[in-house]
Amino acid sequence: MTGRHTPDRLARAALTRIADPGDEHVGRWLRRHGSVATLAMITGDDALPGISDRRTAGYRVRRERADPENDLRAAAALGCRFVCPGDEEWPAQLDDLGDRRPIGLWVRGRPGLRMWSLRSVAVVGARACDSYGTHVAATLAGDLAEAGWTVVSGAAYGIDAAAHRGALAAGGPTSAVVASGTDVPYPPGHAELIGRIAEQGLVVGELPPGAHPTRGRFVLRNRVIAALTRGTVVVEAQLRSGSLVTARWARELGRVTMGVPGPVTSGLSCGVHELLRGEAQLVTDAADVIELVGSVGEDLAPARHGPVLPRDLLAPPAAAVLEALPGRGSRSARRIAEEAGRGLDETLSRLHELRALGFVQRDGPDWRLTPGPPTPPG
């Protein structure tokens, strides 16, 4: 052990400098040989099994920059920690990624990553979203957070930002999985937002301090978002949206894949609608999401129905008599009885009942509907 860091922790920290996130070759070596032996293989001079000379050269160039002691010190100074497989804080669901499991995660924020990930939902979508998507994402995330679910997203422009802001506004938990070092705000315009997430929640990344994102790293971090959560909700997405990559990862990992439908005339919802034509579940609010990702039989969404009208509460015989009255004008009790298929005595009894409830009124010897909503007399 060097200082307070185990050889495994130091080796894994070094490997986050050398290997790209999701590198299956490194993941396979880690599984077979462990982190210390894997680092020795990569930093040595011998040929590496199963990979090209070009990839080997890439590892060997990057090994010159690997200084795990310095990275761990820098992380600690930033209030960041390095969480490894086997740590108490490590979320076991990440192991579902197999050889593409993160080497380790750099975590910024006070809450425990494992506990916050136990009840978590990813809310992702288009960067170039419209007001509909922003409203839906913020409302959905806020309601999920109020219900005690951690909202996970990628801190990007558009739907990601709306989801994080919705959870923050509700005073609830949210985690941002970034494609850079947790101390490098990206996009730069979200420096304040990412800072707020770090103060109130968690900022999580696979890259060490100071590392900058690349196009490929944005795609690769989506697998972590999918694996970390119980399900992924796509709010708005075009047909080539990166958020669909997250949804595909969620499906492959056996997580719940969900989509919020949008206008059929909007190109921003085309990707979501394609998901919904496949195996994705249609959701419209937090209750729908929680029913799908929550405990079976316990987190059920409320039954959906239209507004209850006063006439809906009438007993069937009274309702039949009420239906027999004309929309305009009046009708005799005998004619009403014929229309309702009831006896005259029963019809008269029901008419007086309906009068007491404010549905009908006398019109000389006949009966007519009361104008406007029913208002009981007296």
Side-chain angles (χ1 to χ4, degrees):
M1 181 182 294
T2 305
R4 63 185 178 88
H5 302 301
T6 64
D8 174 68
R9 191 172 302 278
L10 288 168
R12 286 181 178 274
L15 287 169
T16 64
R17 279 280 177 203
I18 296 170
D20 283 324
D23 188 319
E24 290 184 272
H25 298 286
V26 173
R28 184 166 57 252
W29 297 334
L30 285 168
R31 174 169 49 83
R32 292 177 177 175
H33 310 296
S35 59
V36 175
T38 297
L39 179 63
M41 288 169 52
I42 290 177
T43 56
D45 295 322
D46 294 337
L48 294 173
I51 65 170
S52 66
D53 292 341
R54 181 177 180 180
R55 182 181 287 270
T56 299
Y59 291 148
R60 302 261 157 93
V61 167
R62 289 180 178 178
R63 71 183 175 182
E64 306 301 326
R65 299 179 298 170
D67 186 349
E69 288 276 11
N70 184 62
D71 282 339
L72 290 165
R73 278 196 302 271
L78 294 164
C80 180
R81 58 194 179 278
F82 186 53
V83 179
C84 299
D87 287 352
E88 184 177 346
E89 194 179 350
W90 181 259
Q93 59 264 42
L94 291 175
D95 299 342
D96 293 345
L97 288 167
D99 290 341
R100 303 195 71 170
R101 179 181 72 172
I103 296 167
L105 289 173
W106 301 87
V107 180
R108 181 179 163 203
R110 289 185 293 273
L113 177 61
R114 185 179 72 85
M115 294 303 296
W116 266 35
S117 301
L118 289 176
R119 285 169 55 90
S120 62
V121 179
V123 180
V124 297
R127 286 177 171 81
C129 63
D130 58 20
S131 58
Y132 166 79
T134 301
H135 172 75
V136 169
T139 303
L140 179 66
D143 291 344
L144 285 168
E146 285 185 353
W149 288 81
T150 301
V151 175
V152 180
S153 200
Y157 289 124
I159 297 300
D160 288 18
H164 288 305
R165 291 191 174 107
L168 291 169
T174 187
S175 299
V177 180
V178 298
S180 60
T182 58
D183 60 327
V184 179
Y186 194 91
H190 278 174
E192 181 181 356
L193 174 61
I194 293 171
R196 286 182 61 205
I197 296 170
E199 290 176 4
Q200 188 170 317
L202 292 171
V203 178
V204 181
E206 296 181 78
L207 299 175
H212 289 270
T214 62
R215 183 180 182 86
R217 287 170 176 172
F218 284 111
V219 176
L220 291 167
R221 65 89 186 267
N222 291 340
R223 80 192 198 290
V224 178
I225 294 176
L228 204 58
T229 55
R230 289 197 185 182
T232 293
V233 184
V234 183
V235 176
E236 279 188 327
Q238 294 180 327
L239 291 173
R240 290 177 55 86
S241 172
S243 58
L244 299 182
V245 176
T246 310
R248 284 194 290 272
W249 268 108
R251 185 169 58 248
E252 289 178 18
L253 292 167
R255 309 298 195 260
V256 183
T257 307
M258 296 159 279
V260 178
V264 296
T265 55
S266 172
L268 288 171
S269 291
C270 287
V272 181
H273 295 161
E274 283 299 308
L275 281 179
L276 293 174
R277 291 181 64 192
E279 297 179 2
Q281 301 289 320
L282 187 151
V283 294
T284 59
D285 58 19
D288 289 346
V289 174
I290 293 171
E291 179 176 299
L292 291 169
V293 300
S295 301
V296 175
E298 295 182 13
D299 296 311
L300 298 177
R304 312 279 180 173
H305 51 71
V308 177
L309 302 176
R311 66 170 54 209
D312 296 333
L313 304 176
L314 293 174
V321 170
L322 183 63
E323 288 292 327
L325 272 86
R328 294 182 181 181
S330 58
R331 183 168 286 172
S332 69
R334 185 173 297 278
R335 178 71 186 282
I336 293 170
E338 292 173 358
E339 292 290 332
R342 305 277 169 176
L344 181 58
D345 289 343
E346 181 187 0
T347 299
L348 285 169
S349 175
R350 297 300 179 184
L351 285 168
H352 285 292
E353 176 186 329
L354 292 168
R355 182 186 184 189
L357 294 172
F359 285 96
V360 301
Q361 64 187 36
R362 295 299 299 265
D363 184 15
D366 298 333
W367 296 83
R368 67 185 303 140
L369 294 174
T370 301
T375 304

